[in-house]
Amino acid sequence: MLRQVTATGSTRAGAESALRARLANRAAPTTAEVTSRTRLDELWQRWHSTAERRLRPQTLQHLTWCYRRHVAPPLGALQLGELTPARVERLLDRLESQFVQIPREVRALLRQLLDIAVRHGAIATNPVPTHGASPASKPEVRALTASDVAAVRTAAQAWERSTGAAGARALCDVLEVLLGTGLRIGEVLALRWQDLDLDSPRPVLRVTGTMVEAVDGAAWRQATAKTAAGARTLALPPFTVSVLARRRARLGGPDPHAPVFCTSTGTHMRPSNVRRSWRAARRGTSVDWVALHTLRKTVATTVAHALHEDAAASLLGHRSANVTRRHYIQPAVQDLSACLEAKFGADPT
């Protein structure tokens, strides 16, 4: 049975966008045959119904947002046979002129959707290009120097004093844990007191979860690490143990299930709020370029240079040292001047 679907908007374009979004929200039977007359919105619903079993909730939520925001308005009502390479490329070109990450996500999502159409014989080839615009050169990894670390600590302390947050010391303590562990900010903020063993001869920290923030503003503690390799136990350096022990003492022996870093209402702090605090703290200082993730790269670089890349990958929770090497380790500068001097250093005059 056919049902009429309507939508309204303040302008014609707004009404059309609302109508496409409403059509995208309608469930399509997943057993229906996929043909060249199937609309992209229907194929999306088919993919979505199976993706719920395969993807993490936050990943599916983000892809749903990408589809409804960027794909459904221009393409959702089109039949699969109408999705030409030119139409797809116009969409991707427009997104690449406005965003950095979203075009890659939209391209990958569209390829997955239209691969289904190819397998069903609805279209002969996938109209989505395999590769987008030539990627920009990989940014150089920059780790903090000892003076940079001192400046980071000074900036955080000054910000906490100026804002009246010095008593809680949340930002300063978060920075010290980042420097002592190389954790992701979401992993730090997901820590509970039961994840720490500060009183054993060898104090350790267990990574058992991470904080997740969705595009709709919701936030929660995910009870699993970001990746399989992310679930790990780390030995803590003395300076990090001291920071955490002082924090525990200030809180008066907190509940083991309570967050190590909590809001005034006792809930886990959000990564976005801590990033916002750090941006305010670093503004106008010599470390204005430093992001929280820079501390993770600094830890990786320090460990790799002192030991080896595999040790850095293990500490960071990477399955392979290739990712660590490519994105987290600042190359060491080799001083070969002595051997060159010995070989060629005779005075030529």
Side-chain angles (χ1 to χ4, degrees):
M1 181 174 65
L2 298 178
R3 289 185 175 89
Q4 187 177 22
V5 179
T6 61
T8 60
S10 57
T11 64
R12 178 172 179 171
E16 290 176 348
S17 178
L19 179 59
R20 291 193 185 97
R22 183 165 295 181
L23 288 170
N25 288 333
R26 297 183 71 215
T30 58
T31 57
E33 183 182 1
V34 178
T35 71
S36 62
R37 296 176 64 83
T38 301
R39 299 192 183 279
L40 183 61
D41 281 342
E42 297 170 346
L43 186 63
W44 157 257
Q45 290 293 343
R46 183 188 188 100
W47 178 90
H48 190 280
S49 66
T50 61
E52 290 175 336
R53 300 189 295 269
R54 296 182 285 106
L55 301 178
R56 294 180 184 272
Q58 64 268 27
T59 301
L60 184 57
Q61 187 179 45
H62 179 71
L63 292 176
T64 300
W65 176 83
C66 280
Y67 182 84
R68 291 177 179 171
R69 176 72 177 269
H70 299 294
V71 179
L75 303 180
L78 296 179
Q79 296 177 357
L80 298 179
E82 298 173 321
L83 290 172
T84 62
R87 274 179 162 150
V88 173
E89 287 203 23
R90 277 199 297 272
L91 169 63
L92 296 176
D93 287 346
R94 178 172 58 79
L95 293 177
E96 285 169 353
S97 70
Q98 303 174 53
F99 308 102
V100 176
Q101 181 66 22
I102 286 175
R104 292 194 289 268
E105 295 172 342
V106 168
R107 181 182 295 105
L109 177 58
L110 278 173
R111 279 202 65 84
Q112 287 188 53
L113 291 174
L114 295 173
D115 275 346
I116 298 173
V118 172
R119 290 198 299 271
H120 282 261
I123 54 178
T125 59
N126 194 320
V128 182
T130 305
H131 303 291
S134 299
S137 58
K138 184 177 75 71
E140 181 181 351
V141 176
R142 182 179 178 185
L144 300 173
T145 64
S147 60
D148 289 333
V149 171
V152 164
R153 286 169 165 157
T154 298
Q157 292 164 3
W159 179 82
E160 287 189 337
R161 286 194 300 269
S162 67
T163 58
R169 286 190 58 85
L171 179 60
C172 286
D173 288 356
V174 164
L175 294 176
E176 296 301 332
V177 174
L178 289 171
L179 285 169
T181 63
L183 296 184
R184 302 171 177 92
I185 183 59
E187 293 171 334
V188 171
L189 299 182
L191 289 172
R192 302 159 301 178
W193 290 106
Q194 68 186 38
D195 299 322
L196 307 178
D197 186 354
L198 302 179
D199 301 316
S200 69
R202 183 172 175 266
V204 297
L205 170 156
R206 289 174 292 277
V207 180
T208 62
T210 188
M211 289 300 295
V212 173
E213 291 186 278
V215 293
D216 64 358
W220 65 93
R221 183 187 188 276
Q222 177 180 286
T224 57
K226 182 179 179 182
T227 64
R232 58 205 190 276
T233 299
L234 307 179
L236 295 173
F239 78 89
T240 306
V241 174
S242 297
V243 166
L244 291 169
R246 287 196 300 268
R247 185 169 190 81
R248 183 177 60 181
R250 284 199 304 272
L251 296 175
D255 183 328
H257 301 287
V260 174
F261 297 100
C262 61
T263 65
S264 58
T265 59
T267 60
H268 287 272
M269 296 177 69
R270 292 170 175 254
S272 59
N273 288 342
V274 177
R275 291 190 184 100
R276 186 181 302 112
S277 294
W278 170 240
R279 286 195 298 269
R282 75 187 188 192
R283 190 173 297 123
T285 71
S286 63
V287 289
D288 200 15
W289 60 275
V290 176
L292 294 181
H293 213 58
T294 309
L295 277 64
R296 183 166 162 83
K297 296 178 182 180
T298 300
V299 171
T301 298
T302 301
V303 172
H305 291 179
L307 299 174
H308 47 77
E309 294 173 351
D310 287 340
S314 176
L315 182 68
L316 267 57
H318 292 161
R319 187 185 315 176
S320 166
N322 291 335
V323 172
T324 317
R325 181 186 312 111
R326 179 172 174 78
H327 299 289
Y328 288 87
I329 298 174
Q330 179 177 299
V333 177
Q334 289 185 302
D335 185 357
L336 304 177
S337 58
C339 71
L340 295 174
E341 177 65 23
K343 184 70 175 178
F344 308 115
D347 189 346
T349 59

